[in-house]
Amino acid sequence: MTQVSLHHIALAYNGQHVLNDINLSIAPGEFCVFIGPSGCGKSSLLRLIAGLEPVGAGTLTIDGRTINDVAPAERHIAMVFQSYALYPHMTVYDNMAFGLTRQRLDKAEIERRVMEASRILQLDALLARKPGALSGGQRQRVAIGRAIVKKPKVFLFDEPLSNLDASLRAQTRLEIARLHRELNSASMIYVTHDQVEAMTLADKIVLLRPAAEVPGQSNVAQIGTPLELYHHPANLFAAGFIGTPAMNFFNASLTSVLQNGIATTLQGRACAAAVDGTDMVPGAALTLGIRPEHLVLGQGEWQAKIVHVEALGEHSYVHLRWSDEASMLVAKTQDDSLRVGQTVAFSLPAAALHAFRSDGVALRRLASN
């Protein structure tokens, strides 16, 4: 069982920080997903763990052994890239066996490993085919199989599904989840820009933001389980990034601290939020946030005009504009009677609200989820 630890890791290109003060521990058998906007350093961090980028500062360890200067081939890792990079003239079997052949393993051991990997990935019937006769999803499974046969301590995935269409992504995502269950002794580190992949695959999510946005600070915005990041974002960045559509935000002012939350003034009206405001002082500026599925339409003290409706069958996303606000709001609803041009009342349940200080740090929510 393998643990990966990063202590004060930093990386810069031409003097520009890409990673700064990264502190992270990935437990044995854990599925850890790196996610964040373009330029946040998620692929660079993966490549640094793989040994393809130098460690600018800090310490990287696997199983307690410092590997800052250890060659990639000696780190006992296997990497699956965005492109399949299969040899077109070789069969599936030979593609999976190629690395083992170069290690000069005996034929019986190579066959045992390839057959085991093909069973796990359901490639048994395809071993004699060449990559040109495979679908995109099948080629990606072969690339994953090529990693499995190495029996690595750590699997690294760099956006492995981004070249697949939507249905194949969903199917292959399930296969990767099943693979993780079967190979629960190996840690997996996975880079993606897709929130669905992050939320459905991860035991732990590491949310990164561009280092240039937080100079001198760690560019790790939050680390936690998928539901922790969704229900309890640590800051405005995490709240705005996790969730599709994004969280709605409102400017408010703290009126008073209550036993069960805070009272605020929003658009000249009272608005309560179930958050811990112990260290706050009346008059402080706040940002309130609420996810689209928690904004209640059809009742409440505020009104907004519907400017667009995205009807998706199971539910609709209703885009609203306040009469005295330039910002847009989005509500998720199953009410299919709403139409563009209507004015609709809405409310903001206290238990569903998030609150953030002027520096972007979240106040602790008192709600159960």
Side-chain angles (χ1 to χ4, degrees), residues 249-260:
F249 294 112
F250 314 87
N251 294 322
S253 177
L254 180 67
T255 304
S256 60
V257 178
L258 310 174
Q259 186 174 1
N260 60 344

Side-chain angles (χ1 to χ4, degrees), residues 2 13 51 159-160 169 253 324:
T2 302
Y13 297 125
E159 303 204 45
R169 280 202 304 270
S253 177
D324 52 354

Side-chain angles (χ1 to χ4, degrees), residues 110-129:
I110 292 173
E111 182 174 3
R112 187 188 67 79
R113 292 194 188 188
V114 171
M115 297 309 293
E116 180 184 11
S118 66
R119 175 191 60 80
I120 291 171
L121 295 168
Q122 301 175 3
L123 292 170
D124 307 71
L126 306 176
L127 291 175
R129 294 189 189 180

Side-chain angles (χ1 to χ4, degrees), residues 291-351:
R291 297 213 177 270
E293 65 267 30
H294 297 146
L295 194 151
V296 178
L297 296 181
Q299 61 185 43
E301 57 271 47
W302 289 281
Q303 290 193 331
K305 186 176 182 178
I306 299 174
V307 295
H308 184 61
V309 177
E310 295 178 286
L312 302 177
E314 178 189 4
H315 59 263
S316 296
Y317 291 123
V318 179
H319 298 255
L320 308 135
R321 187 186 300 279
W322 288 12
S323 58
D324 52 354
E325 271 288 315
S327 60
M328 298 286 292
L329 309 177
V330 182
K332 181 180 179 180
T333 180
Q334 293 183 326
D335 184 350
D336 58 8
S337 67
L338 298 173
R339 297 289 182 268
V340 173
Q342 282 182 256
T343 297
V344 61
F346 69 91
S347 62
L348 308 171

Side-chain angles (χ1 to χ4, degrees), residues 7-314:
H7 303 279
H8 304 294
I9 289 291
L11 175 67
Y13 297 125
N14 299 321
Q16 297 295 316
H17 281 280
V18 177
L19 301 170
N20 194 44
D21 197 24
I22 307 295
N23 293 281
L24 171 65
S25 181
I26 300 168
E30 191 167 45
F31 199 123
C32 180
V33 173
F34 298 163
I35 193 170
S38 296
C40 71
K42 53 187 182 292
S43 289
S44 295
L45 183 56
L46 193 78
R47 290 171 57 83
L48 184 146
I49 295 170
L52 304 177
E53 298 286 354
V55 177
T59 306
L60 171 63
T61 65
I62 294 181
D63 276 347
R65 176 194 178 200
T66 300
I67 61 166
N68 287 35
D69 300 316
V70 174
E74 298 174 12
R75 296 190 179 196
H76 302 290
I77 60 169
M79 195 161 182
V80 179
F81 294 95
Q82 180 177 341
S83 72
Y84 319 126
L86 302 178
Y87 296 106
H89 63 288
M90 291 185 181
T91 64
V92 168
Y93 183 98
D94 290 337
N95 265 282
M96 293 170 66
F98 181 73
L100 304 181
T101 303
R102 290 180 62 86
Q103 294 178 27
R104 300 187 183 280
L105 297 184
D106 64 66
K107 289 185 178 180
E109 176 63 12
I110 292 173
E111 182 174 3
R112 187 188 67 79
R113 292 194 188 188
V114 171
M115 297 309 293
E116 180 184 11
S118 66
R119 175 191 60 80
I120 291 171
L121 295 168
Q122 301 175 3
L123 292 170
D124 307 71
L126 306 176
L127 291 175
R129 294 189 189 180
K130 293 183 179 179
L134 304 178
S135 69
Q138 290 168 337
R139 292 179 196 176
Q140 192 57 276
R141 277 189 281 158
V142 175
I144 294 170
R146 189 171 51 192
I148 291 174
V149 298
K150 296 179 181 178
K151 295 192 176 298
K153 293 181 177 180
V154 183
F155 286 90
L156 306 179
F157 294 89
D158 190 7
E159 303 204 45
L161 308 186
S162 59
N163 286 337
L164 305 180
D165 62 36
S167 61
L168 275 178
R169 280 202 304 270
Q171 177 185 338
T172 311
R173 188 173 69 238
L174 291 174
E175 290 173 353
I176 291 174
R178 180 176 55 80
L179 172 65
H180 179 237
R181 289 193 296 271
E182 287 212 26
L183 303 175
N184 60 7
S185 61
S187 301
M188 294 188 176
I189 305 175
Y190 189 103
V191 164
T192 184
H193 63 275
D194 188 315
Q195 291 194 34
V196 173
E197 289 177 30
M199 296 294 288
T200 56
L201 288 173
D203 298 317
K204 174 188 290 178
I205 289 178
V206 178
L207 174 61
L208 298 166
R209 55 185 162 188
E213 295 182 4
V214 282
Q217 303 177 44
S218 173
N219 54 315
V220 174
Q222 189 170 356
I223 299 174
T225 67
L227 292 183
E228 283 172 350
L229 267 70
Y230 192 81
H231 292 300
H232 300 279
N235 45 62
L236 266 171
F237 177 84
F241 188 86
I242 297 294
T244 306
M247 184 181 288
N248 298 294
F249 294 112
F250 314 87
N251 294 322
S253 177
L254 180 67
T255 304
S256 60
V257 178
L258 310 174
Q259 186 174 1
N260 60 344
I262 60 172
T264 74
T265 300
L266 173 64
Q267 289 286 299
R269 296 191 175 98
C271 179
V275 298
D276 183 358
T278 303
D279 298 327
M280 300 295 293
V281 296
L286 292 172
T287 299
L288 298 181
I290 191 168
R291 297 213 177 270
E293 65 267 30
H294 297 146
L295 194 151
V296 178
L297 296 181
Q299 61 185 43
E301 57 271 47
W302 289 281
Q303 290 193 331
K305 186 176 182 178
I306 299 174
V307 295
H308 184 61
V309 177
E310 295 178 286
L312 302 177
E314 178 189 4

